[in-house]
Amino acid sequence: MAEPYAGLYLVGGTVRDILLGRPNFDVDVAVEGDAIELAGALAAELGGRCRPHGQFGTAVVLYGDGKHVDVVTARRETYAEPAALPTVEAAGIEEDLFRRDFTVNAMAIGLKGNDHGRLVDPFGGQKDLEAGTIRVLHDRSFVDDPTRIFRAVRYESRFGFHMDEHTEALAREGVAGIGLLSGARLREELLELLEEEQAPTSIVRLGDLDVVPATEATAKLFTRLRELDRRYGLDVPDWRLGLAALGLALPSAEVAPFLERLQLRRRDARHIGAAIEDGPRLVEQLRDGGLTASEIVALAEPDHPDAPLLALALDDQQALHEYFDRLQHVKLHIGGADLADLGLGESPRVGEILAELRRRKLNGELDGRESELAAARELLE
Ligand code: ATP
Protein backbone atom coordinates (compact mmCIF):
# COMPACT_ATOMS: atom_id res chain seq x y z
CA MET A 1 0.00 0.00 0.00
CA ALA A 2 1.29 3.46 -0.85
CA GLU A 3 1.90 5.45 2.27
CA PRO A 4 -0.49 8.39 2.52
CA TYR A 5 2.10 10.78 3.93
CA ALA A 6 5.55 12.10 3.12
CA GLY A 7 6.68 12.97 6.62
CA LEU A 8 5.53 12.22 10.12
CA TYR A 9 6.68 14.12 13.22
CA LEU A 10 6.19 14.64 16.92
CA VAL A 11 5.73 18.40 17.31
CA GLY A 12 5.26 21.32 19.64
CA GLY A 13 4.90 20.87 23.37
CA THR A 14 5.52 17.12 23.06
CA VAL A 15 9.04 17.72 21.72
CA ARG A 16 9.69 20.53 24.20
CA ASP A 17 8.79 18.32 27.14
CA ILE A 18 10.82 15.36 25.84
CA LEU A 19 13.88 17.62 25.64
CA LEU A 20 13.16 19.00 29.10
CA GLY A 21 12.69 15.47 30.45
CA ARG A 22 9.24 16.39 31.75
CA PRO A 23 6.31 14.00 31.59
CA ASN A 24 3.67 15.04 29.06
CA PHE A 25 0.70 12.89 28.20
CA ASP A 26 -0.46 15.06 25.30
CA VAL A 27 1.08 13.64 22.18
CA ASP A 28 0.99 15.99 19.19
CA VAL A 29 1.80 14.60 15.76
CA ALA A 30 2.09 16.49 12.45
CA VAL A 31 1.79 14.76 9.10
CA GLU A 32 2.93 15.92 5.70
CA GLY A 33 -0.17 14.46 4.12
CA ASP A 34 -3.64 13.50 5.20
CA ALA A 35 -3.92 13.70 8.98
CA ILE A 36 -7.35 12.13 9.10
CA GLU A 37 -6.31 9.09 7.10
CA LEU A 38 -3.23 8.62 9.24
CA ALA A 39 -5.27 9.02 12.43
CA GLY A 40 -7.66 6.33 11.19
CA ALA A 41 -4.77 3.92 10.64
CA LEU A 42 -3.26 4.79 14.03
CA ALA A 43 -6.59 4.24 15.78
CA ALA A 44 -6.91 0.80 14.14
CA GLU A 45 -3.35 -0.05 15.23
CA LEU A 46 -3.94 1.05 18.83
CA GLY A 47 -7.42 -0.44 19.07
CA GLY A 48 -8.81 3.05 19.70
CA ARG A 49 -11.16 5.49 18.00
CA CYS A 50 -10.51 8.33 15.60
CA ARG A 51 -12.43 11.59 15.97
CA PRO A 52 -11.83 13.63 12.81
CA HIS A 53 -12.36 17.38 12.36
CA GLY A 54 -12.52 17.50 8.59
CA GLN A 55 -12.88 21.27 8.53
CA PHE A 56 -9.45 21.77 10.12
CA GLY A 57 -7.66 18.72 8.70
CA THR A 58 -7.05 17.45 12.22
CA ALA A 59 -8.06 14.39 14.20
CA VAL A 60 -7.82 13.03 17.71
CA VAL A 61 -7.06 9.38 18.32
CA LEU A 62 -8.54 8.16 21.59
CA TYR A 63 -7.23 4.91 23.05
CA GLY A 64 -6.60 3.10 26.31
CA ASP A 65 -8.24 4.68 29.32
CA GLY A 66 -8.39 8.34 28.35
CA LYS A 67 -5.13 8.60 26.38
CA HIS A 68 -5.09 10.57 23.16
CA VAL A 69 -2.92 11.64 20.26
CA ASP A 70 -3.63 14.85 18.33
CA VAL A 71 -2.83 14.56 14.65
CA VAL A 72 -2.66 17.61 12.38
CA THR A 73 -1.85 18.09 8.73
CA ALA A 74 1.33 20.17 8.51
CA ARG A 75 0.19 23.59 7.36
CA ARG A 76 0.99 27.20 6.68
CA GLU A 77 -1.14 29.88 8.33
CA THR A 78 -1.77 33.43 7.17
CA TYR A 79 -3.51 36.09 9.19
CA ALA A 80 -5.76 38.32 7.10
CA GLU A 81 -6.63 40.37 10.17
CA PRO A 82 -5.01 40.78 13.58
CA ALA A 83 -6.44 38.55 16.32
CA ALA A 84 -8.77 36.71 13.92
CA LEU A 85 -8.45 33.03 13.04
CA PRO A 86 -5.91 32.33 10.30
CA THR A 87 -6.37 30.94 6.80
CA VAL A 88 -4.60 27.60 6.49
CA GLU A 89 -3.18 25.50 3.66
CA ALA A 90 -1.20 22.28 3.63
CA ALA A 91 2.58 22.71 3.72
CA GLY A 92 5.85 21.08 4.80
CA ILE A 93 7.01 20.61 8.40
CA GLU A 94 9.25 23.69 8.48
CA GLU A 95 6.37 25.94 7.51
CA ASP A 96 4.22 24.21 10.05
CA LEU A 97 6.80 25.02 12.71
CA PHE A 98 6.92 28.64 11.55
CA ARG A 99 3.22 29.14 12.37
CA ARG A 100 3.84 28.27 16.00
CA ASP A 101 4.09 30.57 18.97
CA PHE A 102 7.62 30.35 20.38
CA THR A 103 10.92 28.78 19.38
CA VAL A 104 10.71 26.28 22.25
CA ASN A 105 7.37 25.08 20.85
CA ALA A 106 8.56 25.09 17.23
CA MET A 107 10.57 21.89 17.06
CA ALA A 108 9.74 18.50 15.61
CA ILE A 109 11.18 14.98 15.88
CA GLY A 110 10.97 12.74 12.80
CA LEU A 111 9.13 9.45 13.24
CA LYS A 112 9.50 7.96 9.79
CA GLY A 113 12.17 6.27 7.69
CA ASN A 114 15.51 8.06 7.47
CA ASP A 115 14.06 10.91 9.46
CA HIS A 116 13.45 8.75 12.49
CA GLY A 117 14.75 10.48 15.61
CA ARG A 118 15.96 13.57 13.74
CA LEU A 119 15.35 16.86 15.58
CA VAL A 120 13.94 19.52 13.26
CA ASP A 121 14.83 22.83 14.89
CA PRO A 122 14.91 25.65 12.34
CA PHE A 123 14.58 28.53 14.84
CA GLY A 124 17.02 27.63 17.59
CA GLY A 125 14.43 26.17 19.94
CA GLN A 126 16.83 23.81 21.65
CA LYS A 127 19.25 26.61 22.47
CA ASP A 128 16.40 28.72 23.87
CA LEU A 129 15.16 25.79 25.89
CA GLU A 130 18.58 25.43 27.46
CA ALA A 131 18.80 29.15 28.16
CA GLY A 132 15.22 29.35 29.45
CA THR A 133 14.15 31.87 26.83
CA ILE A 134 10.69 32.43 25.40
CA ARG A 135 11.18 33.93 21.95
CA VAL A 136 8.69 34.64 19.16
CA LEU A 137 9.46 33.54 15.62
CA HIS A 138 8.72 36.89 14.00
CA ASP A 139 7.79 40.45 14.94
CA ARG A 140 4.09 40.21 14.05
CA SER A 141 3.50 37.20 16.27
CA PHE A 142 1.55 38.94 19.05
CA VAL A 143 -0.32 41.12 16.55
CA ASP A 144 -1.46 38.04 14.63
CA ASP A 145 -2.50 36.31 17.82
CA PRO A 146 -2.58 38.21 21.11
CA THR A 147 -3.46 35.00 23.02
CA ARG A 148 0.26 34.29 22.71
CA ILE A 149 0.87 36.95 25.38
CA PHE A 150 -0.95 34.75 27.89
CA ARG A 151 0.86 31.69 26.58
CA ALA A 152 4.26 33.39 26.98
CA VAL A 153 3.44 34.32 30.57
CA ARG A 154 2.19 30.80 31.29
CA TYR A 155 5.44 29.23 30.03
CA GLU A 156 7.56 31.77 31.88
CA SER A 157 5.87 30.83 35.14
CA ARG A 158 5.66 27.11 34.53
CA PHE A 159 9.28 26.61 33.53
CA GLY A 160 10.86 29.59 35.28
CA PHE A 161 11.75 30.95 31.83
CA HIS A 162 11.83 34.54 30.65
CA MET A 163 10.94 36.32 27.43
CA ASP A 164 13.99 37.78 25.72
CA GLU A 165 14.07 41.57 25.65
CA HIS A 166 12.78 41.89 22.10
CA THR A 167 9.91 39.43 22.66
CA GLU A 168 8.95 41.25 25.84
CA ALA A 169 8.91 44.60 24.02
CA LEU A 170 6.69 43.08 21.33
CA ALA A 171 4.41 41.63 24.00
CA ARG A 172 4.03 45.05 25.64
CA GLU A 173 3.09 46.54 22.26
CA GLY A 174 0.77 43.61 21.58
CA VAL A 175 -1.30 44.12 24.74
CA ALA A 176 -3.51 46.64 22.93
CA GLY A 177 -4.55 43.85 20.55
CA ILE A 178 -6.07 41.74 23.34
CA GLY A 179 -9.20 43.87 22.98
CA LEU A 180 -9.69 42.46 19.46
CA LEU A 181 -9.88 38.85 20.62
CA SER A 182 -13.20 37.07 20.77
CA GLY A 183 -14.50 36.54 24.30
CA ALA A 184 -14.21 32.78 23.92
CA ARG A 185 -10.54 32.81 22.93
CA LEU A 186 -9.65 35.27 25.66
CA ARG A 187 -11.50 33.15 28.22
CA GLU A 188 -9.80 29.94 27.15
CA GLU A 189 -6.28 31.32 27.45
CA LEU A 190 -6.94 33.16 30.70
CA LEU A 191 -8.56 30.12 32.29
CA GLU A 192 -5.75 27.87 31.22
CA LEU A 193 -3.25 30.27 32.79
CA LEU A 194 -5.21 30.46 36.04
CA GLU A 195 -5.45 26.68 36.32
CA GLU A 196 -1.69 26.17 36.48
CA GLU A 197 0.20 25.65 39.71
CA GLN A 198 2.34 28.73 39.13
CA ALA A 199 -0.64 30.94 38.30
CA PRO A 200 0.07 33.47 41.08
CA THR A 201 3.41 34.25 39.41
CA SER A 202 1.58 34.64 36.09
CA ILE A 203 -0.88 37.07 37.67
CA VAL A 204 1.93 39.34 38.82
CA ARG A 205 3.47 39.18 35.35
CA LEU A 206 0.15 40.03 33.65
CA GLY A 207 -0.01 43.07 35.92
CA ASP A 208 3.56 44.00 35.05
CA LEU A 209 2.72 43.79 31.33
CA ASP A 210 -0.40 45.91 31.89
CA VAL A 211 -2.74 43.20 30.67
CA VAL A 212 -4.74 43.47 33.91
CA PRO A 213 -4.38 45.84 36.87
CA ALA A 214 -3.06 43.05 39.11
CA THR A 215 -0.34 43.39 41.75
CA GLU A 216 1.49 41.19 44.26
CA ALA A 217 -1.55 41.64 46.50
CA THR A 218 -3.80 40.14 43.80
CA ALA A 219 -1.52 37.11 43.53
CA LYS A 220 -1.39 36.69 47.32
CA LEU A 221 -5.16 36.86 47.52
CA PHE A 222 -5.43 34.17 44.85
CA THR A 223 -2.94 31.96 46.68
CA ARG A 224 -4.91 32.36 49.88
CA LEU A 225 -8.18 31.57 48.08
CA ARG A 226 -6.71 28.37 46.69
CA GLU A 227 -5.41 27.32 50.11
CA LEU A 228 -8.75 27.90 51.80
CA ASP A 229 -10.67 26.21 49.01
CA ARG A 230 -8.53 23.06 49.45
CA ARG A 231 -8.61 23.21 53.24
CA TYR A 232 -12.39 23.26 53.35
CA GLY A 233 -12.86 20.90 50.38
CA LEU A 234 -15.03 23.39 48.53
CA ASP A 235 -14.02 22.39 45.01
CA VAL A 236 -14.36 25.84 43.49
CA PRO A 237 -12.27 25.67 40.30
CA ASP A 238 -9.02 27.61 40.50
CA TRP A 239 -9.91 29.74 37.50
CA ARG A 240 -13.02 31.01 39.25
CA LEU A 241 -10.98 31.96 42.31
CA GLY A 242 -8.46 33.64 40.02
CA LEU A 243 -11.12 35.65 38.23
CA ALA A 244 -12.51 36.79 41.58
CA ALA A 245 -9.05 37.96 42.66
CA LEU A 246 -8.51 39.72 39.31
CA GLY A 247 -11.99 41.26 39.37
CA LEU A 248 -11.42 42.69 42.82
CA ALA A 249 -8.42 44.59 41.44
CA LEU A 250 -10.68 46.35 38.92
CA PRO A 251 -12.59 49.58 39.54
CA SER A 252 -16.09 48.40 40.50
CA ALA A 253 -17.72 49.82 37.35
CA GLU A 254 -15.48 47.57 35.24
CA VAL A 255 -16.29 44.29 36.95
CA ALA A 256 -19.53 43.50 35.11
CA PRO A 257 -18.15 44.36 31.63
CA PHE A 258 -15.06 42.23 32.41
CA LEU A 259 -17.19 39.21 33.30
CA GLU A 260 -19.46 39.73 30.31
CA ARG A 261 -16.50 39.99 28.00
CA LEU A 262 -15.39 36.49 28.99
CA GLN A 263 -18.78 34.99 28.09
CA LEU A 264 -18.83 32.77 31.14
CA ARG A 265 -21.70 30.50 31.98
CA ARG A 266 -24.30 32.50 33.85
CA ARG A 267 -23.88 30.54 37.05
CA ASP A 268 -20.12 31.09 37.13
CA ALA A 269 -20.45 34.79 36.36
CA ARG A 270 -22.97 35.11 39.17
CA HIS A 271 -20.67 33.41 41.69
CA ILE A 272 -17.70 35.56 40.74
CA GLY A 273 -19.74 38.77 40.66
CA ALA A 274 -21.24 37.98 44.06
CA ALA A 275 -17.81 37.25 45.52
CA ILE A 276 -16.39 40.55 44.31
CA GLU A 277 -19.36 42.57 45.45
CA ASP A 278 -20.40 40.80 48.63
CA GLY A 279 -17.08 39.39 49.89
CA PRO A 280 -15.72 42.74 51.09
CA ARG A 281 -19.14 43.67 52.46
CA LEU A 282 -19.24 40.47 54.47
CA VAL A 283 -15.88 41.34 56.00
CA GLU A 284 -17.41 44.57 57.31
CA GLN A 285 -20.59 42.93 58.52
CA LEU A 286 -18.67 40.35 60.54
CA ARG A 287 -15.92 42.61 61.75
CA ASP A 288 -17.41 43.57 65.09
CA GLY A 289 -18.13 39.97 66.09
CA GLY A 290 -20.84 39.07 68.58
CA LEU A 291 -23.12 37.41 66.00
CA THR A 292 -24.97 34.20 66.68
CA ALA A 293 -24.27 31.16 64.53
CA SER A 294 -27.55 31.58 62.68
CA GLU A 295 -26.77 35.23 61.98
CA ILE A 296 -23.38 34.28 60.54
CA VAL A 297 -25.04 31.70 58.29
CA ALA A 298 -27.71 34.18 57.21
CA LEU A 299 -24.97 36.53 56.01
CA ALA A 300 -22.59 33.99 54.49
CA GLU A 301 -24.85 31.42 52.95
CA PRO A 302 -26.72 33.30 50.19
CA ASP A 303 -23.52 33.54 48.13
CA HIS A 304 -21.93 30.31 49.25
CA PRO A 305 -19.13 29.46 48.73
CA ASP A 306 -17.39 32.15 46.65
CA ALA A 307 -18.36 35.26 48.61
CA PRO A 308 -17.65 33.98 52.13
CA LEU A 309 -14.45 32.40 50.80
CA LEU A 310 -13.27 35.72 49.39
CA ALA A 311 -14.21 37.41 52.67
CA LEU A 312 -12.11 34.88 54.58
CA ALA A 313 -9.17 35.31 52.21
CA LEU A 314 -9.36 39.08 52.73
CA ASP A 315 -9.69 38.92 56.50
CA ASP A 316 -8.94 35.86 58.60
CA GLN A 317 -12.07 35.93 60.74
CA GLN A 318 -12.92 33.20 63.20
CA ALA A 319 -16.62 33.44 62.34
CA LEU A 320 -15.91 32.44 58.74
CA HIS A 321 -13.63 29.57 59.76
CA GLU A 322 -16.47 28.43 61.97
CA TYR A 323 -18.86 28.79 59.03
CA PHE A 324 -16.79 26.64 56.66
CA ASP A 325 -15.67 24.22 59.29
CA ARG A 326 -19.01 23.44 60.85
CA LEU A 327 -21.97 25.73 60.30
CA GLN A 328 -22.29 25.20 56.55
CA HIS A 329 -22.83 21.49 57.22
CA VAL A 330 -25.57 21.88 59.79
CA LYS A 331 -28.71 20.33 58.34
CA LEU A 332 -32.02 19.38 59.87
CA HIS A 333 -32.89 15.72 60.35
CA ILE A 334 -36.47 16.39 59.39
CA GLY A 335 -37.96 17.75 56.17
CA GLY A 336 -41.19 18.70 54.43
CA ALA A 337 -42.46 15.11 54.56
CA ASP A 338 -42.25 15.10 58.35
CA LEU A 339 -44.22 18.34 58.53
CA ALA A 340 -46.83 16.78 56.24
CA ASP A 341 -47.07 13.85 58.69
CA LEU A 342 -47.74 16.41 61.39
CA GLY A 343 -50.65 17.69 59.33
CA LEU A 344 -49.11 20.64 57.49
CA GLY A 345 -49.89 20.41 53.77
CA GLU A 346 -48.08 22.26 51.02
CA SER A 347 -47.82 25.91 51.96
CA PRO A 348 -45.22 28.66 52.39
CA ARG A 349 -45.40 27.84 56.10
CA VAL A 350 -43.38 24.67 55.40
CA GLY A 351 -40.36 26.68 54.31
CA GLU A 352 -40.78 29.17 57.14
CA ILE A 353 -40.96 26.49 59.80
CA LEU A 354 -37.96 24.60 58.43
CA ALA A 355 -35.99 27.85 58.32
CA GLU A 356 -36.90 28.61 61.91
CA LEU A 357 -35.92 25.10 62.99
CA ARG A 358 -32.57 25.38 61.25
CA ARG A 359 -32.00 28.73 62.91
CA ARG A 360 -32.60 27.13 66.30
CA LYS A 361 -30.43 24.14 65.46
CA LEU A 362 -27.55 26.38 64.39
CA ASN A 363 -27.80 28.18 67.70
CA GLY A 364 -27.60 24.91 69.58
CA GLU A 365 -31.21 24.87 70.72
CA LEU A 366 -32.09 21.56 69.05
CA ASP A 367 -30.39 18.23 69.21
CA GLY A 368 -31.53 15.26 67.15
CA ARG A 369 -34.61 14.30 65.26
CA GLU A 370 -36.95 14.02 68.24
CA SER A 371 -36.24 17.51 69.49
CA GLU A 372 -36.74 18.86 65.96
CA LEU A 373 -40.12 17.15 65.73
CA ALA A 374 -41.13 18.46 69.13
CA ALA A 375 -40.17 22.00 68.12
CA ALA A 376 -42.05 21.59 64.84
CA ARG A 377 -45.19 20.52 66.71
CA GLU A 378 -44.90 23.47 69.03
CA LEU A 379 -44.49 25.87 66.08
CA LEU A 380 -47.48 24.34 64.33
CA GLU A 381 -49.63 24.98 67.35
P1 ATP B 1 0.85 22.82 27.18
O1 ATP B 1 1.83 21.98 27.90
O2 ATP B 1 0.59 24.14 27.78
O3 ATP B 1 -0.40 22.13 26.76
P2 ATP B 1 1.51 22.73 24.48
O4 ATP B 1 2.76 23.26 23.87
O5 ATP B 1 1.18 21.30 24.33
O6 ATP B 1 1.66 23.19 25.94
P3 ATP B 1 -0.99 23.39 23.23
O7 ATP B 1 -1.86 24.55 23.56
O8 ATP B 1 -1.49 22.01 23.43
O9 ATP B 1 0.32 23.65 24.04
O10 ATP B 1 -0.51 23.59 21.75
C1 ATP B 1 0.26 22.62 21.07
C2 ATP B 1 1.25 23.32 20.16
O11 ATP B 1 0.54 24.09 19.19
C3 ATP B 1 2.15 24.31 20.87
O12 ATP B 1 3.30 23.68 21.36
C4 ATP B 1 2.48 25.28 19.76
O13 ATP B 1 3.49 24.78 18.94
C5 ATP B 1 1.19 25.32 18.97
N1 ATP B 1 0.31 26.41 19.38
C6 ATP B 1 -0.71 26.36 20.27
N2 ATP B 1 -1.33 27.54 20.38
C7 ATP B 1 -0.71 28.37 19.54
C8 ATP B 1 -0.89 29.73 19.19
N3 ATP B 1 -1.84 30.48 19.76
N4 ATP B 1 -0.07 30.25 18.25
C9 ATP B 1 0.88 29.48 17.68
N5 ATP B 1 1.10 28.22 17.97
C10 ATP B 1 0.33 27.65 18.88
Side-chain angles (χ1 to χ4, degrees):
M1 188 181 96
E3 285 187 337
Y5 51 91
L8 181 62
Y9 303 88
L10 287 176
V11 277
T14 310
V15 175
R16 178 199 68 217
D17 288 342
I18 288 173
L19 294 175
L20 282 173
R22 286 173 80 106
N24 180 340
F25 302 101
D26 285 336
V27 179
D28 287 341
V29 168
V31 196
E32 290 170 331
D34 189 337
I36 294 174
E37 198 173 324
L38 180 98
L42 185 61
E45 189 76 24
L46 294 170
R49 295 184 295 113
C50 168
R51 203 166 57 201
H53 304 283
Q55 194 188 351
F56 304 107
T58 65
V60 185
V61 177
L62 304 149
Y63 69 102
D65 49 355
K67 298 203 214 42
H68 65 268
V69 179
D70 282 309
V71 187
V72 303
T73 298
R75 61 187 192 242
R76 171 185 320 127
E77 290 185 342
T78 31
Y79 288 82
E81 272 172 69
L85 291 176
T87 326
V88 306
E89 54 193 319
I93 187 68
E94 299 224 351
E95 280 167 295
D96 185 86
L97 295 176
F98 186 62
R99 75 180 169 87
R100 291 171 185 270
D101 47 5
F102 308 113
T103 58
V104 295
N105 279 343
M107 291 182 275
I109 295 176
L111 291 176
K112 194 192 145 191
N114 288 342
D115 244 5
H116 197 272
R118 179 172 75 93
L119 180 69
V120 186
D121 179 16
F123 312 108
Q126 195 172 20
K127 192 171 104 298
D128 283 339
L129 205 53
E130 278 158 16
T133 301
I134 301 295
R135 189 193 309 276
V136 284
L137 303 186
H138 57 86
D139 286 1
R140 281 189 58 81
S141 189
F142 293 122
V143 177
D144 285 344
D145 182 356
T147 66
R148 292 172 185 161
I149 297 170
F150 295 91
R151 297 178 62 86
V153 168
R154 188 151 64 81
Y155 294 127
E156 281 191 335
S157 304
R158 189 198 300 168
F159 300 125
F161 285 8
H162 213 278
M163 288 183 243
D164 73 290
E165 214 174 294
H166 184 58
T167 298
E168 178 166 338
L170 293 171
R172 287 185 188 280
E173 282 169 29
V175 168
I178 292 174
L180 301 173
L181 285 171
S182 74
R185 292 188 66 209
L186 177 61
R187 180 188 63 236
E188 269 170 38
E189 284 301 335
L190 189 53
L191 265 50
E192 210 156 320
L193 179 147
L194 292 171
E195 283 288 307
E196 294 208 357
E197 193 48 41
Q198 301 304 326
T201 310
S202 294
I203 286 182
V204 176
R205 185 67 161 142
L206 288 179
D208 167 52
L209 293 170
D210 264 340
V211 175
V212 287
T215 61
E216 288 280 354
T218 318
K220 282 217 179 83
L221 180 64
F222 177 47
T223 303
R224 184 88 185 113
L225 282 166
R226 284 203 311 198
E227 284 165 5
L228 291 165
D229 179 70
R230 311 254 193 296
R231 168 153 156 201
Y232 290 115
L234 297 170
D235 277 340
V236 180
D238 282 359
W239 61 263
R240 209 161 87 192
L241 303 174
L243 289 182
L246 287 175
L248 201 67
L250 290 170
S252 59
E254 286 175 31
V255 172
F258 169 66
L259 296 177
E260 259 166 54
R261 167 96 171 92
L262 295 175
Q263 297 172 6
L264 300 165
R265 274 187 307 211
R266 195 173 308 172
R267 179 173 163 276
D268 291 318
R270 204 173 46 215
H271 271 299
I272 300 165
I276 296 169
E277 196 170 325
D278 298 337
R281 188 185 307 151
L282 197 52
V283 170
E284 293 310 316
Q285 288 166 324
L286 295 174
R287 179 155 283 154
D288 295 335
L291 298 177
T292 62
S294 66
E295 285 167 336
I296 294 168
V297 169
L299 290 171
E301 203 166 53
D303 294 313
H304 177 86
D306 301 48
L309 192 62
L310 186 67
L312 184 54
L314 288 169
D315 191 12
D316 201 54
Q317 297 190 3
Q318 200 44 45
L320 286 167
H321 282 295
E322 175 73 0
Y323 171 73
F324 282 115
D325 217 13
R326 197 174 66 80
L327 301 180
Q328 63 153 334
H329 303 296
V330 173
K331 302 262 153 42
L332 290 173
H333 289 284
I334 69 169
D338 298 284
L339 295 188
D341 288 347
L342 295 178
L344 181 62
E346 260 183 55
S347 99
R349 286 268 289 148
V350 175
E352 284 166 25
I353 290 179
L354 291 175
E356 172 58 17
L357 292 173
R358 176 145 186 267
R359 194 189 67 75
R360 291 187 189 180
K361 180 158 187 177
L362 281 164
N363 292 341
E365 295 161 26
L366 299 175
D367 176 26
R369 185 177 161 80
E370 284 314 313
S371 72
E372 289 173 20
L373 283 171
R377 264 187 229 107
E378 174 207 319
L379 284 168
L380 279 168
E381 280 158 18

